[in-house]
Amino acid sequence: DHHYRCYMKQRNSKHSPSPWLILLAPDIQANILDGAQPAHLTLADFMKAFPNDWVEQREYFGVVDAD
């Protein structure tokens, strides 16, 4: 999603990540900041309550663990 990547670049350029971003598993964070998150994810997905556990986050967001 082009708008999502633009939003993330803007947030990253200010050196102040969104509060939800710091709660995500490191690999999910890296994918978002690189613009490599799965196409089905939108900003709205991260505005809802999501699991704190990184393994559960990958399942919840449908992100395949790189390991």
mmCIF file of all heavy atoms in Angstrom, residues 4-6 9-10 22 29 34 39 45-46 53-54 59 63:
data_model
loop_
_atom_site.group_PDB
_atom_site.id
_atom_site.type_symbol
_atom_site.label_atom_id
_atom_site.label_comp_id
_atom_site.label_asym_id
_atom_site.label_seq_id
_atom_site.Cartn_x
_atom_site.Cartn_y
_atom_site.Cartn_z
ATOM 1 N N TYR A 4 0.565 3.716 2.931
ATOM 2 C CA TYR A 4 1.133 3.166 4.158
ATOM 3 C C TYR A 4 2.649 3.352 4.175
ATOM 4 O O TYR A 4 3.233 3.773 5.164
ATOM 5 C CB TYR A 4 0.763 1.684 4.268
ATOM 6 C CG TYR A 4 1.249 1.051 5.520
ATOM 7 C CD1 TYR A 4 0.621 1.310 6.729
ATOM 8 C CD2 TYR A 4 2.331 0.195 5.508
ATOM 9 C CE1 TYR A 4 1.064 0.730 7.886
ATOM 10 C CE2 TYR A 4 2.777 -0.385 6.664
ATOM 11 C CZ TYR A 4 2.138 -0.117 7.848
ATOM 12 O OH TYR A 4 2.593 -0.687 8.991
ATOM 13 N N ARG A 5 3.309 3.035 3.062
ATOM 14 C CA ARG A 5 4.770 3.201 2.993
ATOM 15 C C ARG A 5 5.156 4.662 3.154
ATOM 16 O O ARG A 5 6.129 4.979 3.831
ATOM 17 C CB ARG A 5 5.291 2.625 1.675
ATOM 18 C CG ARG A 5 5.290 1.117 1.643
ATOM 19 C CD ARG A 5 6.099 0.574 0.479
ATOM 20 N NE ARG A 5 5.661 1.082 -0.811
ATOM 21 C CZ ARG A 5 4.714 0.535 -1.552
ATOM 22 N NH1 ARG A 5 4.085 -0.532 -1.145
ATOM 23 N NH2 ARG A 5 4.393 1.064 -2.717
ATOM 24 N N CYS A 6 4.407 5.552 2.543
ATOM 25 C CA CYS A 6 4.686 6.982 2.679
ATOM 26 C C CYS A 6 4.536 7.420 4.130
ATOM 27 O O CYS A 6 5.363 8.174 4.657
ATOM 28 C CB CYS A 6 3.756 7.804 1.795
ATOM 29 S SG CYS A 6 4.091 7.638 0.045
ATOM 30 N N LYS A 9 7.529 6.094 6.071
ATOM 31 C CA LYS A 9 8.747 6.861 5.776
ATOM 32 C C LYS A 9 8.716 8.202 6.492
ATOM 33 O O LYS A 9 9.723 8.654 7.027
ATOM 34 C CB LYS A 9 8.897 7.057 4.269
ATOM 35 C CG LYS A 9 9.345 5.823 3.554
ATOM 36 C CD LYS A 9 9.501 6.071 2.068
ATOM 37 C CE LYS A 9 9.880 4.796 1.358
ATOM 38 N NZ LYS A 9 10.007 4.971 -0.073
ATOM 39 N N GLN A 10 7.557 8.833 6.501
ATOM 40 C CA GLN A 10 7.426 10.111 7.186
ATOM 41 C C GLN A 10 7.673 9.933 8.680
ATOM 42 O O GLN A 10 8.410 10.694 9.284
ATOM 43 C CB GLN A 10 6.039 10.695 6.958
ATOM 44 C CG GLN A 10 5.801 11.985 7.718
ATOM 45 C CD GLN A 10 4.358 12.470 7.600
ATOM 46 O OE1 GLN A 10 3.486 11.736 7.156
ATOM 47 N NE2 GLN A 10 4.130 13.677 8.009
ATOM 48 N N ILE A 22 6.942 0.209 18.183
ATOM 49 C CA ILE A 22 7.950 -0.316 19.109
ATOM 50 C C ILE A 22 7.473 -1.567 19.840
ATOM 51 O O ILE A 22 8.281 -2.266 20.442
ATOM 52 C CB ILE A 22 8.421 0.754 20.119
ATOM 53 C CG1 ILE A 22 7.269 1.222 20.996
ATOM 54 C CG2 ILE A 22 9.075 1.922 19.401
ATOM 55 C CD1 ILE A 22 7.685 2.144 22.118
ATOM 56 N N GLN A 29 8.780 -5.109 12.456
ATOM 57 C CA GLN A 29 9.211 -3.707 12.379
ATOM 58 C C GLN A 29 10.086 -3.486 11.154
ATOM 59 O O GLN A 29 9.875 -2.534 10.394
ATOM 60 C CB GLN A 29 10.025 -3.327 13.621
ATOM 61 C CG GLN A 29 9.254 -3.213 14.884
ATOM 62 C CD GLN A 29 10.156 -2.804 16.030
ATOM 63 O OE1 GLN A 29 11.186 -2.167 15.842
ATOM 64 N NE2 GLN A 29 9.779 -3.178 17.231
ATOM 65 N N ASP A 34 11.127 -1.213 5.887
ATOM 66 C CA ASP A 34 11.699 -1.462 4.560
ATOM 67 C C ASP A 34 10.639 -1.447 3.466
ATOM 68 O O ASP A 34 10.958 -1.592 2.299
ATOM 69 C CB ASP A 34 12.413 -2.819 4.527
ATOM 70 C CG ASP A 34 13.678 -2.836 5.357
ATOM 71 O OD1 ASP A 34 14.196 -1.748 5.682
ATOM 72 O OD2 ASP A 34 14.147 -3.946 5.684
ATOM 73 N N ALA A 39 1.205 -7.439 1.738
ATOM 74 C CA ALA A 39 0.291 -6.505 1.074
ATOM 75 C C ALA A 39 -1.054 -6.386 1.787
ATOM 76 O O ALA A 39 -1.707 -5.346 1.697
ATOM 77 C CB ALA A 39 0.078 -6.928 -0.375
ATOM 78 N N ASP A 45 -4.817 -2.056 10.639
ATOM 79 C CA ASP A 45 -4.547 -3.305 11.350
ATOM 80 C C ASP A 45 -3.736 -3.072 12.614
ATOM 81 O O ASP A 45 -3.890 -3.785 13.600
ATOM 82 C CB ASP A 45 -3.798 -4.292 10.450
ATOM 83 C CG ASP A 45 -4.618 -4.746 9.269
ATOM 84 O OD1 ASP A 45 -5.809 -5.036 9.464
ATOM 85 O OD2 ASP A 45 -4.062 -4.803 8.157
ATOM 86 N N PHE A 46 -2.874 -2.088 12.592
ATOM 87 C CA PHE A 46 -2.009 -1.824 13.732
ATOM 88 C C PHE A 46 -2.642 -0.877 14.750
ATOM 89 O O PHE A 46 -2.105 -0.691 15.837
ATOM 90 C CB PHE A 46 -0.670 -1.265 13.256
ATOM 91 C CG PHE A 46 0.073 -2.234 12.386
ATOM 92 C CD1 PHE A 46 0.128 -2.062 11.017
ATOM 93 C CD2 PHE A 46 0.699 -3.334 12.939
ATOM 94 C CE1 PHE A 46 0.801 -2.958 10.217
ATOM 95 C CE2 PHE A 46 1.373 -4.248 12.149
ATOM 96 C CZ PHE A 46 1.423 -4.058 10.773
ATOM 97 N N ASP A 53 2.892 -10.866 22.543
ATOM 98 C CA ASP A 53 3.852 -11.928 22.247
ATOM 99 C C ASP A 53 4.216 -11.906 20.765
ATOM 100 O O ASP A 53 3.336 -11.858 19.898
ATOM 101 C CB ASP A 53 3.238 -13.285 22.615
ATOM 102 C CG ASP A 53 4.185 -14.429 22.352
ATOM 103 O OD1 ASP A 53 5.095 -14.649 23.187
ATOM 104 O OD2 ASP A 53 4.029 -15.096 21.306
ATOM 105 N N TRP A 54 5.503 -11.937 20.465
ATOM 106 C CA TRP A 54 5.962 -11.817 19.081
ATOM 107 C C TRP A 54 5.503 -12.972 18.212
ATOM 108 O O TRP A 54 5.135 -12.793 17.058
ATOM 109 C CB TRP A 54 7.470 -11.661 19.028
ATOM 110 C CG TRP A 54 7.960 -10.366 19.582
ATOM 111 C CD1 TRP A 54 7.212 -9.258 19.880
ATOM 112 C CD2 TRP A 54 9.289 -10.038 19.919
ATOM 113 N NE1 TRP A 54 8.002 -8.261 20.371
ATOM 114 C CE2 TRP A 54 9.296 -8.708 20.416
ATOM 115 C CE3 TRP A 54 10.496 -10.715 19.868
ATOM 116 C CZ2 TRP A 54 10.445 -8.068 20.836
ATOM 117 C CZ3 TRP A 54 11.640 -10.081 20.288
ATOM 118 C CH2 TRP A 54 11.620 -8.760 20.760
ATOM 119 N N GLU A 59 1.421 -14.627 13.881
ATOM 120 C CA GLU A 59 0.221 -15.372 13.518
ATOM 121 C C GLU A 59 -0.959 -14.425 13.298
ATOM 122 O O GLU A 59 -1.687 -14.520 12.313
ATOM 123 C CB GLU A 59 -0.097 -16.367 14.635
ATOM 124 C CG GLU A 59 -1.140 -17.389 14.288
ATOM 125 C CD GLU A 59 -1.281 -18.430 15.388
ATOM 126 O OE1 GLU A 59 -0.258 -19.007 15.795
ATOM 127 O OE2 GLU A 59 -2.417 -18.638 15.822
ATOM 128 N N VAL A 63 2.102 -12.900 9.285
ATOM 129 C CA VAL A 63 3.489 -12.706 8.853
ATOM 130 C C VAL A 63 4.251 -13.995 9.094
ATOM 131 O O VAL A 63 4.240 -14.538 10.195
ATOM 132 C CB VAL A 63 4.147 -11.547 9.634
ATOM 133 C CG1 VAL A 63 5.605 -11.393 9.244
ATOM 134 C CG2 VAL A 63 3.386 -10.251 9.392
#
